[in-house]
Every structure is written in structure tokens, then in C-alpha cells.
Amino acid sequence: MKKMPLLFYGGDYNPDQWDDSTIQEDMKLFKNAGINLVTLPIFSWAKLEPTEGEYDFAWLDQLLAGLWENRIYVCLATPTSAQPAWLSARYEDVLPVDIAGRKRTHGMRVFFCVNSGNYRKRAAAIAEQMAKRYAGYPGLVAWHVCNEYGTYCYCETCQQKFRLWLKARYGTIQELNERWNTAFWGRIVSDFDEIMLPTQRNDDDRFNPGIQLDYLRFMTDSTLECYQNEAQILKQYTPEIPVFTNISGFIKKLNQFQMAEQMDLAGWDNYPGPRDEISFPALKHDIMRGLKNGASYMVTEQSPNQQNWQPYNKLKRPGEVRTLAYQGLAHGADTSLFFQMRQSIGGQEKFHGALISHEGTANSRIYREMSALGAEFAKLGNCFLGGRTDASVGILFDWENWWALELASGPTKDMNYLTQVHHYYKPFYEKNIPVDILRFTSELCRYKIIVAPLLYMLKDEIAEKLEKFVRQGGTLLATYLSGVVDSNDRCIFGAAPGTLKNLLGLWVEETDALYPDEKNEMRMREGYLPKPSYFCSFLCDVIHLTGASARAVYGSDFYAGTPCLTEHVFGSGIACYLGTQPEDDFLSDYIDLLCQKAGVKPLLLTDPGIEVTRRTTPEGSFTFVMNHRETEGLVNLGAETYDNLLTNETLCGSCNLAGRGVMVLRNDFLAAPPKI
């Protein structure tokens, strides 16, 4: 994708709810706040097509003309996430069937079957009407298809398509029986027509992980077809305009690596919880950057103030919206878009924050903060857009691995893959060490350290790639629950970690699950780390060494004295294995050691709570420094000299950064990252 002309700032606008005088007032408020892009008309299908085949675009034409008069750009959304009532009533296949077997009635948004032929036909028709009508609109910068896909369906249409999908995947019923291990519990099938979707009606959603895993793959493929049904039409009429769909902040439901392959860019909706550690949205941002192999992405939604749908909807603290917005830009976003521009007066999201609150003027705290942010963005221009992150550390991440881990019955009900990945991401984040999130098929040669948390499912020749990486001098950190199953969730013969045994120099006999209130101890080899011992929890592997050396042993239980941290010299590199979940202090100290040995250094040294990231373009390097605390903290810039683009100061050495403060530092002498 070519570099965006502006740092686009704005977000979702739903003018269907407002009269002309309100819309005119909004234009003035948008301009004053520095808003230069709105996304619309996401939920307007019923207004654009009040009856089948009859369209009314006059109101949208007028609105788009007014936006362009004010030089506000538009991300045009196909309105297909909220089908009209007439479509649901007229065509029985449109409405989904839920996991309990209930045929749903018309109502909720994104409440359609992605495999419905009639839905796809009408969605394609309105997409074509919009593409033809607005192909020449001068303010069009992107097409946004539907909104937050992720509805699973269990209707008869999906049932028949799932059987065809399985036949294409496995070829014969004998191969399917083998892959699903249907001999267990007498689940052998003799024909594809005997296969039923995994639902609550047959309990296969809970007790048959093999079929459930394939169902999730099938739903990703089906959703992609539904997306392409519209996207290919938009590309036909506007080949130069990027097309994408926004990814819900709850990112698990669809394989987003696979989805992003068919999109021109990735875009996601960032809604951290009020008590989330600030490193958690940072991880999600890095996942989004990883979807397109390190390319920049779009933040398509975030909240200007409180959400309305979390258990406790805290107000954004003064300055918080600013630091969260800059965090997205710092990790690779080229936009900072929000939901929503004007607060709704009714409906489910009437209490969701907005640029313009119910009060309706420029007098609110949030409007003033966002106006100041808009002025800063205008000052920055597009200097860092398209910039890439030069990371020496990669973390392996995989949606199918995620699904399989959490579908498994055991070893613990508390399994949460994303939380586990965050546990190993956090120490790098806190040390201001950039991290790339990598798929199993990514090239690893440019990295010095690869972390592979819970590499439960071995696929895509990942074992061979990791062997090559370590043999050539890399450092690998693997963990418990590695190398357990194949791509169909069948346990690998020969004990875990399967084909990683040679690389790691060990095998795992069994894994103990600890209760939430239980802990064990990691007793370190003398002098290895700053502390002689650390506590551990969650899971404990019982490990046998076949070449690796123990660096720590368990302190209690029947496996006391057996290894829980090992290292294995392999070729020119080293493969490390954590057989248990360590406390944060251990990871902080151990990551320090691994980085020191691998020659990986922080971008800058700062007080805790201050985040540093860097984006590099051919023209220069842009270092973002964000203080997420409410009190000031110290930043050590070292001997390098930087220009602070927000204040026009030249800085070097140590300086203080105010609470909720932000610096965007330019340095034209730092090397550009390697081309991908």
C-alpha cells in the first residue's frame, strides 16, 4: 500500500440519527477538533435500500458533498452488518441458527448467516450500487466492508457446506476418521452426510475438539468468502482504493492471519479494559502489525471516553485518551479513529463516549482533549506514516494453536492463550525492547531471540524452522505444553515435545496442573540469576534431560529436585525451556540475561510506566515516548540528539516527562530497518 497522505483522525459517524441542523453543527465541531476523516454509513442498509432493489442515496449524496466541502475525507462502509428487516423476513436462510439450535429472529447487528446465498446476493448488490455511485468521489480513501465479522451459524445451509468443506479437505471418509480419531467413543462415520455440526444439541461443541477445530476453520473460510463477495466488487470499480474489514477487539473468533491475507490492510477496534495492564493493548497492537508482516495498519475504533458494555465503565482519566491514541501510532497504526463522533441518544450504546457528548457543544472535557490531540496530529503530518518497527525479538502466535489449547479438556480449566502470550510479551515491553508477533510460517532469520509460548500444536514445519534458527546462532525460549499435538489435535506419539525433543534436549513425562492458590518454587543454579529462587504456578512439567542442562529445579512436591528450567546448546545457538509458569520477577531477570547474551538492547532507558517504541522510514527514525502514569518520570536519551516534533525542542541526555506526557522524537541518523 502507498503511504497515506495524512494522519487520518476521526471515526464512526452515524448521521442517520440527526437532522440537517445538527449535521451542520457537527461539521463545525469536526473542523475545530481537527477531524479529517469519518467512517460511514456502517448501519444504514435499511435507509439506503428501504425495499428490495429500490435505493435512496440522495441523503448520503448530500452528506458526502458537505463533508468534502469541509475537506473531511471518508472511509465508506458497506452497510451489510445490519441487514434490513425485509431481508430477514423475506429469505429464511438469512437469519442464523445459534449453537443451541434456535433459529434467531431479526434484531441484532451482524446477525446473519455468512453462508446464506440470499444475504450474499443482496450484500453484493448494494456494494455494487455504492461502488458505481461513489467511485469518483474525491474524498474516498478506503472501503470498509461490513463490521466486526464473527457470527457463528449452525443452520442447514452451514451443515451442508461444512460437509462439502470436509470432503474437499480430507478427500475420503477414511482419512477423516483417521484425522479425527473417531475410533474413540465409537464416533466412526461411514459417509460425509452423517457428520453433524458441533452444537449443544450433540455436545460436540464441548466433547469433540477435532470436529470443533475444523468447524472454526470452516467458519473462517466461510466468513472470508462473505467478505470477498463484496470486496471483489469494490476492487473492480476502484482498484486503487484499499479495501478491508475491521477486526473486533475480541480477536479470537476468526483466524485473523488468514483474513488479513485477503485485505489490503488490517484494521482493528481497540477497547482495553480499565484495569488491563497497559502492555496488554500494546500486545494486541503488535498482533495487528504482524497480520501484514510488519506493515502499518489502521486503528478503526477506540473510545474517546468510557465504553458502555464493560462490567464497570470507567471514564477516561485526563490525558488517557491521548496516551492510548499515541500508543496505537507508536506500534504501527497510520490512523487514529474513534467510535464515535456524536453520542447516540438511544439504543444499546447511548452511554458510549464520543467526541461530541449529549451536551452537544465544544464545552466538554473530552472535546477539548481531542481537539488538542487533533492539533498535535496536524502538526505531525504524515512524517512517520508507513514506518516499520525494527525488532530483534519475535513471539510466535497462532490462531489454530489458540483454539486447540482452549478446546482441550485439560490439563487446566484456566487455560487462556492470549493471557499466556502476554505473560512472555510483558517483560520485553517493560524493558522497551520491540517485539514482532510472528505466524508459524514467518521467516525467523532476522531475529536474535524467538519466544514460543505454549507451542502446543506442531504444524507448518515449525519444528524444522526452529532447529534452523537455533543452529544458526539464535536463542529460543519455549515453554510447557509444547509439541503436544498435530494439526488435528491428535497427540504426537513419543512424548512431548514431539519433534522438538532433539532441539530442546529433553522429554516431558507428565504435566501437573496447580490450583490457583498453589505455588511451587524454582531453585536456581547458584549465581545464575540475581535471586536464588522464584515461585512458579499454573503448570509443572516433569522433565527428563537428554542433552539439555538444568538451570533451575523444582523446590517441592514429588518432583522436587527435577528440572524446571533447561538450556540446550544446539549448533551455534541455544534452546531454552521453561517447564512451569514463572513469576514476573523471574521473567524480568531471565529476559535480561538472554538479551545480554544475544546482544539485544532497549531502545531507551526509562522509569517504569514509560513506554518507548520506534518506527523507521527511509527519511528518518521516529521514537515515541509515552508516560502512562499520572506522575512524571525519567527518560534517558543517551548521547543521541533528538528533535521533539510536538514541542520543537532539541533533546539529549536525561529529561523528565510529565504524567500522561508524550514525546515524538525524530532522529535522521538511525538506520532504516531492513526491507521485508
Side-chain angles (χ1 to χ4, degrees):
M1 296 302 301
K2 64 182 181 180
K3 183 175 179 177
M4 289 190 176
L6 299 169
L7 198 177
F8 285 122
Y9 178 51
D12 285 36
Y13 186 43
N14 298 288
D16 317 37
Q17 304 171 68
W18 318 118
D19 57 25
D20 288 343
S21 63
T22 303
I23 291 172
Q24 292 306 312
E25 182 62 23
D26 288 346
M27 296 297 170
K28 297 175 187 176
L29 291 169
F30 290 168
K31 291 279 284 185
N32 291 339
I35 300 303
N36 58 24
L37 180 140
V38 295
T39 301
L40 79 173
I42 290 179
F43 302 117
S44 300
W45 193 347
K47 190 169 184 178
L48 291 169
E49 190 179 5
T51 59
E52 185 171 3
E54 296 182 10
Y55 300 96
D56 176 11
F57 286 101
W59 65 273
L60 185 55
D61 293 345
Q62 181 180 347
L63 182 64
L64 292 175
L67 286 166
W68 190 239
E69 284 176 13
N70 288 278
R71 289 303 181 265
I72 296 173
Y73 290 86
V74 172
C75 175
L76 266 179
T78 61
T80 49
S81 64
Q83 75 269 20
W86 59 259
L87 182 56
S88 299
R90 189 168 299 175
Y91 300 107
E92 185 179 355
D93 65 318
V94 168
L95 290 169
V97 172
D98 71 12
I99 197 168
R102 298 177 301 173
K103 182 74 169 179
R104 307 316 299 265
T105 62
H106 184 79
M108 178 64 176
R109 66 187 175 94
V110 202
F111 222 41
F112 53 83
C113 171
V114 292
N115 285 309
S116 162
N118 284 302
Y119 170 84
R120 290 190 188 182
K121 178 181 178 182
R122 296 314 312 165
I126 195 164
E128 184 167 29
Q129 289 289 326
M130 293 183 71
K132 288 192 296 187
R133 193 175 194 92
Y134 300 119
Y137 178 65
L140 177 62
V141 298
W143 285 106
H144 177 305
V145 174
C146 197
N147 182 72
E148 292 186 338
Y149 282 115
T151 299
Y152 296 161
C153 182
Y154 303 86
C155 70
E156 185 60 29
T157 301
C158 289
Q159 176 72 83
Q160 296 302 325
K161 290 196 70 172
F162 184 51
R163 291 166 176 166
L164 294 172
W165 184 92
L166 291 170
K167 189 170 186 178
R169 183 176 179 86
Y170 296 116
T172 66
I173 200 68
Q174 292 78 14
E175 180 68 11
L176 179 142
N177 279 309
E178 176 70 18
R179 294 291 193 94
W180 282 2
N181 192 39
T182 53
F184 179 74
W185 278 5
R187 300 300 307 275
I188 296 170
V189 289
S190 58
D191 192 278
F192 285 98
D193 286 341
E194 296 172 2
I195 297 168
M196 306 302 294
L197 290 167
T199 69
Q200 291 177 1
R201 298 172 70 185
N202 54 27
D203 274 350
D204 278 353
D205 63 310
R206 295 189 297 146
F207 298 126
N208 194 334
I211 189 172
Q212 180 73 341
L213 184 59
D214 271 344
Y215 171 77
L216 296 175
R217 290 168 171 148
F218 163 71
M219 286 310 302
T220 294
D221 285 349
S222 298
T223 304
L224 256 178
E225 288 179 5
C226 197
Y227 164 79
Q228 286 285 38
N229 177 59
E230 298 177 48
Q232 62 188 2
I233 293 170
L234 303 175
K235 293 301 287 186
Q236 176 186 343
Y237 287 93
T238 56
E240 74 288 356
I241 301 295
V243 181
F244 73 102
T245 185
N246 61 326
I247 297 164
S248 167
F250 182 66
I251 60 177
K252 178 185 174 183
K253 298 188 79 171
L254 301 170
N255 185 336
Q256 303 298 347
F257 279 136
Q258 193 175 335
M259 292 288 294
E261 287 176 357
Q262 304 301 319
M263 297 188 288
D264 292 323
L265 50 85
W268 84 294
D269 300 344
N270 177 33
Y271 291 107
R275 288 189 169 177
D276 283 352
E277 295 181 86
I278 196 63
S279 51
F280 195 62
L283 166 62
K284 285 189 173 182
H285 280 299
D286 284 348
I287 291 173
M288 293 303 120
R289 192 179 72 245
L291 294 184
K292 301 292 284 185
N293 298 314
S296 52
Y297 58 95
M298 292 180 69
V299 171
T300 46
E301 291 183 23
Q302 55 198 319
S303 178
N305 201 350
Q306 79 269 49
Q307 282 81 243
N308 73 291
W309 38 263
Q310 292 173 336
Y312 303 95
N313 294 289
K314 299 287 289 182
L315 294 174
K316 290 280 195 304
R317 288 9 232 173
E320 187 177 2
V321 70
R322 180 179 184 237
T323 52
L324 287 173
Y326 273 108
Q327 186 183 53
L329 299 173
H331 283 265
D334 279 354
T335 66
S336 190
L337 306 181
F338 292 78
F339 182 89
Q340 50 191 330
M341 292 293 93
R342 177 179 276 274
Q343 199 166 21
S344 300
I345 59 173
Q348 172 66 16
E349 293 179 314
K350 63 181 177 295
F351 294 135
H352 196 291
L355 169 72
I356 306 167
S357 69
H358 290 143
E359 191 267 342
T361 72
N363 296 328
S364 71
R365 171 179 67 92
I366 291 299
Y367 183 88
R368 291 192 298 271
E369 287 191 28
M370 292 192 68
S371 296
L373 185 60
E376 286 185 353
F377 286 170
K379 186 174 183 179
L380 289 173
N382 69 347
C383 59
F384 61 83
L385 301 187
R388 300 184 73 98
T389 296
D390 188 16
S392 297
V393 177
I395 294 181
L396 290 173
F397 187 90
D398 184 75
W399 262 266
E400 295 186 354
N401 189 61
W402 186 353
W403 296 336
L405 267 167
E406 296 185 11
L407 286 169
S409 179
T412 171
K413 78 175 187 65
D414 295 332
M415 177 57 64
N416 185 312
Y417 178 61
L418 194 59
T419 298
Q420 287 289 311
V421 172
H422 175 250
H423 187 58
Y424 296 96
Y425 172 90
K426 180 181 172 183
F428 294 102
Y429 170 89
E430 291 180 337
K431 297 174 192 300
N432 296 321
I433 294 172
V435 169
D436 280 344
I437 302 300
L438 307 174
R439 63 180 73 192
F440 286 8
T441 55
S442 298
E443 288 299 321
L444 308 180
C445 59
R446 60 175 291 220
Y447 300 95
K448 295 180 179 179
I449 297 175
I450 293 293
V451 184
L454 287 76
L455 194 62
Y456 174 75
M457 178 184 287
L458 292 181
K459 61 173 192 171
D460 299 328
E461 300 178 340
I462 187 63
E464 293 87 342
K465 295 181 71 169
L466 289 172
E467 281 196 9
K468 179 181 177 182
F469 167 75
V470 177
R471 187 181 291 113
Q472 293 179 348
T475 297
L476 169 68
L477 176 58
T479 76
Y480 42 92
L481 284 184
S482 289
V484 179
V485 301
D486 66 9
S487 60
N488 286 97
D489 200 37
R490 300 179 303 179
C491 289
I492 296 169
F493 281 115
T499 51
L500 294 171
K501 289 200 295 286
N502 185 45
L503 171 60
L504 295 170
L506 56 83
W507 64 280
V508 177
E509 181 177 357
E510 50 192 345
T511 299
D512 192 18
L514 274 60
Y515 287 104
D517 61 349
E518 280 189 297
K519 288 182 173 57
N520 206 315
E521 182 186 13
M522 300 176 68
R523 294 182 177 172
M524 308 306 302
R525 191 187 71 183
E526 185 176 355
Y528 188 66
L529 289 181
K531 293 168 60 176
S533 68
Y534 301 82
F535 74 78
C536 58
S537 60
F538 191 54
L539 296 173
C540 295
D541 282 348
V542 179
I543 295 170
H544 299 271
L545 303 181
T546 59
S549 300
R551 296 292 183 260
V553 297
Y554 292 111
S556 62
D557 220 316
F558 74 89
Y559 38 84
T562 65
C564 58
L565 171 65
T566 69
E567 294 180 357
H568 186 218
V569 176
F570 189 86
S572 300
I574 187 167
C576 314
Y577 187 80
L578 267 168
T580 183
Q581 178 181 287
E583 63 171 297
D584 287 351
D585 282 355
F586 168 85
L587 280 177
S588 181
D589 291 341
Y590 192 53
I591 294 305
D592 274 341
L593 178 64
L594 294 184
C595 287
Q596 180 184 353
K597 289 181 176 180
V600 175
K601 298 180 180 180
L603 295 174
L604 295 175
L605 298 177
T606 68
D607 280 346
I610 298 179
E611 176 179 3
V612 181
T613 66
R614 181 171 292 153
R615 297 180 66 178
T616 306
T617 72
E619 291 77 36
S621 178
F622 301 87
T623 303
F624 293 78
V625 187
M626 297 146 287
N627 186 357
H628 295 286
R629 312 182 312 179
E630 295 187 359
T631 57
E632 75 174 17
L634 189 66
V635 179
N636 186 348
L637 301 177
E640 291 282 351
T641 298
Y642 298 86
D643 295 323
N644 186 349
L645 300 182
L646 299 181
T647 63
N648 298 324
E649 298 174 283
T650 298
L651 302 172
C652 68
S654 295
C655 58
N656 288 318
L657 183 59
R660 299 290 185 190
V662 174
M663 296 190 292
V664 181
L665 306 174
R666 180 167 184 157
N667 184 316
D668 293 343
F669 300 102
L670 295 174
K675 293 182 179 179
I676 304 300

